[in-house]
Amino acid sequence: PTDAPTISAVTTQAGTPPGTGRRQGASILNRHSPPARSDAPAPKALLSDLAVPTAPRETAAKRLGHGANRVPATSSLLGLALTTTDAVFTAAWLAARPDNAPFGYVVTPNADHVARLAREPALRPLYHAALLRLLDSQAIALLAWFLSLPTPPVITGSDLTARLLTRHLRPGERITIIGLDPAWLPELRRRCGLAPPAHHYPPMGFERAPIALAAAVRFVIDHPARFTFLAVGSPRQEILAAAIAETGQ
């Protein structure tokens, strides 16, 4: 799941550059990846564009058909194997994973992530270890298109989050959230119709504090859910996700 402020579904017409496609759907979460907490917007501003979904909740089986067991295809760009399936298939594929599957995480690299990986190559294994890597940058997609490079679809972490929250949760299903100011939870629950989530709000700098990092990992393990949302910003969320995955649980 950086700091762009809205969520909307974006489709790209075949044969047209990425970013010139038709926008569809209302903003749902008004949140991309979380900003640094010192700059965090007020809850009302953060959730101002949250909309009640107009589409019915979907079943993963209905969306996938016979593709449930098919691992989403990838193409290589900037040294990352990026998923080439669209947001609809990707969300349905994640929702169709067995309940007893081990923890796997999704990363959504954008231009900031790519620049950071160039400066800090030690972070690259966190991306390679992810279950899925989704391109979250219209700029990178457009540049790749102009250079005739393989161009995976742009699927932002916020778009994927919105689709999972509004279309793939089972009635009464609980999710786990790490991060996100507690003041924002009531409005998030109301707008998305969520059951009370398991919520842990780690301290600033937790990724550099072994005890705090271990506590966040332990909370996820102790509150198993089909979907765990890490709203602590990058690269903290990748560090935390990899630490959880390393437990094998």
Side-chain angles (χ1 to χ4, degrees):
T2 50
D3 54 8
T6 58
I7 274 195
S8 27
V10 180
T11 59
T12 301
Q13 306 282 340
T16 61
T20 61
R22 174 174 55 86
R23 284 190 177 270
Q24 61 180 13
S27 293
I28 294 179
L29 200 55
N30 195 22
R31 184 177 180 81
H32 200 286
S33 294
R37 292 181 195 172
S38 59
D39 300 323
K44 185 174 292 186
L46 178 75
L47 298 169
S48 60
D49 290 335
L50 201 70
V52 176
T54 56
R57 293 182 183 266
E58 303 160 351
T59 64
K62 179 179 178 181
R63 279 290 181 183
L64 286 179
H66 297 294
N69 296 322
R70 175 164 59 92
V71 176
T74 63
S75 65
S76 181
L77 182 65
L78 298 173
L80 296 171
L82 299 170
T83 299
T84 59
T85 53
D86 63 15
V88 172
F89 182 94
T90 301
W93 186 83
L94 289 169
R97 293 187 76 218
D99 290 354
N100 61 351
F103 182 89
Y105 62 97
V106 177
V107 293
T108 55
N110 61 20
D112 287 339
H113 292 218
V114 171
R116 185 187 301 118
L117 290 176
R119 297 191 307 268
E120 303 177 52
L123 295 174
R124 191 169 286 271
L126 305 180
Y127 289 77
H128 292 319
L131 183 67
L132 298 177
R133 289 155 296 279
L134 310 178
L135 180 61
D136 188 354
S137 173
Q138 292 286 358
I140 291 176
L142 185 61
L143 180 61
W145 184 84
F146 276 121
L147 295 176
S148 299
L149 297 174
T151 309
V154 174
I155 307 175
T156 67
S158 50
D159 285 347
L160 181 64
T161 296
R163 181 168 287 276
L164 291 172
L165 286 177
T166 61
R167 302 192 181 190
H168 288 289
L169 291 185
R170 300 163 183 162
E173 181 176 7
R174 295 188 69 185
I175 62 173
T176 296
I177 300 174
I178 305 296
L180 187 67
D181 192 302
W184 300 345
L185 287 176
E187 186 69 2
L188 178 63
R189 286 188 55 204
R190 185 180 72 83
R191 295 295 183 93
C192 292
L194 301 180
H199 179 240
H200 175 67
Y201 192 55
M204 288 290 290
F206 76 93
E207 76 281 6
R208 299 186 301 273
I211 294 177
L213 178 60
V217 171
R218 187 75 258 166
F219 187 88
V220 173
I221 299 299
D222 290 343
H223 298 83
R226 282 201 309 146
F227 300 116
T228 295
F229 296 93
L230 308 180
V232 292
S234 182
R236 291 175 291 277
Q237 56 206 19
E238 290 82 14
I239 293 171
L240 174 57
I244 299 167
E246 286 175 359
T247 68
Q249 300 185 53

